[in-house]
Amino acid sequence: MALLLLDRAQLEVKTEGDTLALYEAGVRRGTVPIKLIDRCVIHGAQTRLDSGVLMKLAEAGATTVLMSPRSPRRVAIVLGAQHNDAAVRLAQAERVMNDAWCRQWALAVVRAKLARQRRTLRHLQDQRPDARKPLFDALESLGAILDGLNATAASLARAATAAPDDPVADLPTLESLRGFEGAAARAYFGGLAGVFAPALNFTGRNRRPPRDPVNVCLSLSYTMLHAQAVQMCITTGLDPLLGFYHRPAFGRESLASDLIEPLRAAVDLWVWQLLRERTLREEHFSLDKGACLLGKAGRAIYYAEWEKHNAPWQRWLRSQCQALARALRTQGEAWLQHPDQDDECDEA
């Protein structure tokens, strides 16, 4: 399965049987079999297509993401057919209201995120011995926070073994975990700032809008990762809106936000390699009223590279969603009505 990028002026997309036909300025440029498309990304408002194209993509299970032409921000997403597993969503909704379970989940998410950040920093230490000082300082701060969380998790595991039926009173609150995560992020991005080329003007994380090439690539990558997490939630029967660490909020796919946290540092390392190897260069970016923009030539390179390296992250998201759905399904099935009861209600 592949990603289809639609990012050309005067591009029109039509359906022809089981393929998409691409026309540029009225000239037919080629076709793409729909069954090969897993995701479709449309940049800006210049591409023309009708509802039949979106319907064909959705029927094939492909996700269509509409991106803003001026920022690495998702404007809309069109998903394929949803998994009709009410049992999973019933149990998921119950878990969202279970404070102890949400805190356990959140502790696991934050520990996994910080562990991956530490792996990324250690890899950068090996690759950039000249940046030893900022990386060492970041690792010291990050390691202290992670070691504390690991000790808490180990203590909780021992307590649960001794009294498995008792609620775990010593679980960190979601607010305290966000505090640990924020402190770790400040140390982590302080370390990252020491390994990017000075010409990229990266001094730390910024967004809305991103003001340098590094932050443009980070924001775009997180957006792509989040859209894939939404897609995986839908295909496995989970509700992407119902998160446990990122609490449900209007218009936010909070579970997808939970799921991508442990992957962010892996994506950060890929962005560093993308810019270090000069696959993307300064000329692929421009500044407009303080906002840094990735141009069309740069976007073509970016998405091609994303598709080359994305498979492990996609597999990880799929396996996490499948495991969570399996764990929830058994609980939720007990709350489903028997099909015969539904039939009797319909007849009445």
Side-chain angles (χ1 to χ4, degrees), residues 40-43 54 64-68 73-78:
C40 176
V41 175
I42 302 175
H43 258 280
L54 294 176
T64 302
V65 181
L66 283 73
M67 298 291 294
S68 167
R73 177 177 62 86
R74 191 189 82 196
V75 176
I77 185 169
V78 181

Side-chain angles (χ1 to χ4, degrees), residues 200-214:
L200 295 172
N201 297 316
F202 178 70
T203 58
R205 186 78 177 107
N206 60 67
R207 53 190 183 135
R208 298 179 185 174
R211 298 188 294 274
D212 57 80
V214 177

Side-chain angles (χ1 to χ4, degrees), residues 25-48:
V27 179
R28 194 170 188 268
R29 295 299 187 186
T31 60
V32 182
I34 294 174
K35 66 180 181 181
L36 298 182
I37 302 171
D38 177 52
R39 286 148 293 136
C40 176
V41 175
I42 302 175
H43 258 280
Q46 296 179 317
T47 298
R48 292 181 294 165

Side-chain angles (χ1 to χ4, degrees), residues 1-193:
M1 303 294 278
L3 180 149
L4 174 64
L5 174 63
L6 303 177
D7 188 19
R8 293 182 184 177
Q10 298 183 319
L11 182 65
E12 184 176 7
V13 185
K14 301 178 181 180
T15 57
E16 294 182 0
D18 293 327
T19 65
L20 296 184
L22 308 180
Y23 292 81
E24 192 170 3
V27 179
R28 194 170 188 268
R29 295 299 187 186
T31 60
V32 182
I34 294 174
K35 66 180 181 181
L36 298 182
I37 302 171
D38 177 52
R39 286 148 293 136
C40 176
V41 175
I42 302 175
H43 258 280
Q46 296 179 317
T47 298
R48 292 181 294 165
L49 48 82
D50 58 29
S51 60
V53 173
L54 294 176
M55 188 176 297
K56 282 279 192 180
L57 288 168
E59 287 175 345
T63 295
T64 302
V65 181
L66 283 73
M67 298 291 294
S68 167
R70 288 186 50 81
S71 66
R73 177 177 62 86
R74 191 189 82 196
V75 176
I77 185 169
V78 181
L79 297 162
Q82 299 190 21
H83 194 296
N84 297 318
D85 198 335
V88 172
R89 295 199 174 195
L90 282 169
Q92 184 182 353
E94 190 277 335
R95 293 286 179 92
V96 168
M97 307 303 292
N98 185 326
D99 180 64
W101 197 91
C102 289
R103 286 158 69 179
Q104 287 177 310
W105 167 276
L107 176 59
V109 167
V110 175
R111 288 175 63 211
K113 178 178 183 178
L114 270 58
R116 192 62 182 83
Q117 287 178 335
R118 184 160 65 178
R119 284 177 58 192
T120 291
L121 292 176
R122 285 174 173 170
H123 179 84
L124 291 171
Q125 265 190 331
D126 293 337
Q127 298 294 312
R128 289 290 307 274
D130 57 309
R132 179 177 179 81
K133 180 63 167 64
L135 292 171
F136 177 82
D137 291 346
L139 278 166
E140 286 287 293
S141 300
L142 180 64
I145 298 169
L146 181 56
D147 290 344
L149 292 177
N150 288 340
T152 298
S155 176
L156 293 170
R158 289 192 297 270
T161 301
D165 296 329
D166 291 342
V168 182
D170 295 329
L171 274 166
T173 64
L174 299 184
E175 290 74 18
S176 66
L177 285 169
R178 292 188 190 104
F180 291 133
E181 183 188 15
R186 287 189 290 274
Y188 170 73
F189 281 108
L192 281 189

Side-chain angles (χ1 to χ4, degrees), residues 233-301:
C233 287
I234 293 296
T235 58
T236 54
L238 296 163
D239 189 335
L241 295 173
L242 300 182
F244 308 114
Y245 178 41
H246 294 83
R247 303 300 291 166
F250 184 83
R252 181 177 73 187
E253 293 106 344
S254 298
L255 180 59
S257 297
D258 284 1
L259 290 165
I260 69 170
E261 290 297 347
L263 291 176
R264 286 179 183 265
V267 169
D268 299 342
L269 183 59
W270 172 71
V271 167
W272 174 73
Q273 292 167 336
L274 197 65
L275 293 165
R276 185 198 192 198
E277 295 167 2
R278 299 188 59 77
T279 306
L280 284 178
R281 300 183 299 278
E282 290 85 350
E283 57 264 31
H284 291 128
F285 301 88
S286 62
L287 284 174
D288 183 14
K289 299 178 181 178
C292 186
L293 307 176
L294 178 60
K296 185 180 294 186
R299 292 197 297 267
I301 294 169

